[in-house]
């Protein structure tokens, strides 16, 4: 089984979905830059080491990310999963984990990179929104796309109702992406991801 570390900053519902998906991975640690992150409780409840690494105790992003690398590599991790992790990572960090660092982002990338994506989608008036799991590269929210799911934007939506509809899809596609990674089914070529699964080269998951 591959070893994975989850980085999170808050609620941790994506981490919870991963834990409940019975994936062929061992979670060696959950690490948060916010010591009070609720998501750390899911780790503790399962006997997974929960590590708080407060970024406020470090002078620079470089020093903080070096401490993060030290903590992650100390567990022998093969895969690093960002699950609601809210700190931009340095180039050095991203390059250290090239090809084995993934993120879930609450929009259909390359639309709406950055923060407050649901507000941006409502502001633009798009009729379809969604979420994306991608490999992380130094350019924020621009790495190779592994899987996406789409949801309708409904006339009465506000940021919260839209976020909830997207979140339900996040909880479906993130476990699928991690399963593919763990089974060795993902290949990156020319900045794009191929999924090798039963002769099917690409998958699209439509919302139910
Ligand atoms: N780092 C790199 N280099 N590349 C990516 O694609 C990354 C990344 C780090 C995190 C997640 C991301 C998202 O999915 C992610 C992708 C935080 C910010 C941000 O602006 C932006 C994007 C993402 C995560 N963070 C502020 C910062 O100054 C802090 C905001 C806060 O603490 O609330 O780091 O959207
Ligand atoms: C999720 O919607 C995730 O896509 C998003 O934050 C939420 C975390 O929820 N991530 C980002 O915006 C990354 N910048 P969770 O803590 O319940 O998984």
């Amino acid at each position: 089984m591959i070893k994975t570390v989850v980085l999170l900053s808050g609620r941790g519902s994506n981490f919870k979905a991963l834990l409940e998906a019975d994936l062929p991975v061992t979670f060696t640690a959950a690490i948060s830059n916010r010591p009070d992150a609720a998501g750390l409780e899911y780790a503790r409840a399962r006997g997974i080491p929960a590590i708080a690494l407060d970024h406020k105790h470090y002078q620079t992003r470089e020093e903080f990310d070096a401490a993060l690398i030290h903590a992650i590599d100390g567990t022998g991790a093969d895969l690093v999963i960002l699950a609601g992790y809210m700190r931009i990572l340095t180039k050095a960090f991203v390059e250290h984990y090239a090809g084995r660092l993934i993120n879930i982002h609450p929009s259909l990338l390359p639309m709406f990179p950055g923060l407050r994506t649901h507000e941006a989608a409502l502001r633009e008036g798009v009729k379809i929104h969604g979420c994306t799991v991608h490999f992380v590269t130094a350019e924020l929210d621009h790495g190779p796309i592994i899987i996406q799911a789409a949801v309708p934007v409904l006339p009465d939506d506000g940021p919260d109702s839209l976020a909830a509809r997207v979140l339900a899809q996040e909880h479906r596609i993130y476990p699928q992406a991690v399963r593919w990674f763990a089974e060795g089914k993902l290949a990156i070529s020319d900045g794009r991801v191929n999924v090798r699964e039963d002769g099917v080269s690409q998958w699209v998951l439509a919302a139910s």
Side-chain angles (χ1 to χ4, degrees):
M1 295 234 267
I2 67 160
K3 293 180 180 171
T4 75
V5 166
V6 173
L7 302 188
L8 54 85
S9 299
R11 175 180 56 181
S13 73
N14 275 293
F15 177 39
K16 181 165 179 274
L18 292 170
L19 287 172
E20 289 174 352
D22 257 324
L23 297 168
V25 309
T26 305
F27 291 95
T28 55
I31 304 178
S32 175
N33 63 305
R34 295 189 184 276
D36 56 352
L40 287 179
E41 291 304 321
Y42 297 119
R44 292 192 189 101
R46 292 191 178 232
I48 298 165
I51 302 171
L53 213 55
D54 192 339
H55 63 268
K56 296 191 201 87
H57 297 166
Y58 296 82
Q59 302 267 328
T60 64
R61 280 187 197 262
E62 283 70 22
E63 286 170 60
F64 176 68
D65 278 7
L68 209 48
I69 288 175
H70 186 75
I72 294 167
D73 288 355
T75 76
D78 305 298
L79 171 67
V80 178
I81 297 176
L82 306 182
Y85 183 69
M86 299 309 289
R87 297 282 299 170
I88 293 173
L89 296 159
T90 57
K91 190 159 178 279
F93 183 97
V94 169
E95 285 175 357
H96 184 79
Y97 296 107
R100 54 197 186 99
L101 173 61
I102 62 177
N103 177 47
I104 190 154
H105 180 78
S107 79
L108 290 173
L109 291 173
M111 271 187 289
F112 312 127
L115 304 176
R116 307 184 88 82
T117 54
H118 307 302
E119 286 160 54
L122 291 169
R123 194 182 319 115
E124 292 298 333
V126 297
K127 305 306 180 204
I128 298 174
H129 186 42
C131 48
T132 303
V133 179
H134 64 96
F135 283 103
V136 174
T137 58
E139 192 184 352
L140 190 66
D141 297 328
H142 275 80
I145 291 170
I146 299 168
I147 188 170
Q148 296 183 302
V151 304
V153 180
L154 300 179
D156 292 333
D157 269 335
D160 292 348
S161 61
L162 183 54
R165 194 173 308 117
V166 171
L167 191 65
Q169 298 306 314
E170 295 185 35
H171 297 163
R172 293 177 64 209
I173 66 171
Y174 218 175
Q176 177 67 78
V178 173
R179 189 178 297 279
W180 280 335
F181 184 96
E183 292 173 346
K185 288 180 174 159
L186 300 181
I188 305 176
S189 99
D190 264 350
R192 288 184 292 270
V193 175
N194 273 297
V195 184
R196 292 183 292 252
E197 170 126 303
D198 303 330
V200 180
S201 65
Q202 294 289 339
W203 276 49
V204 176
L205 269 196
S208 44

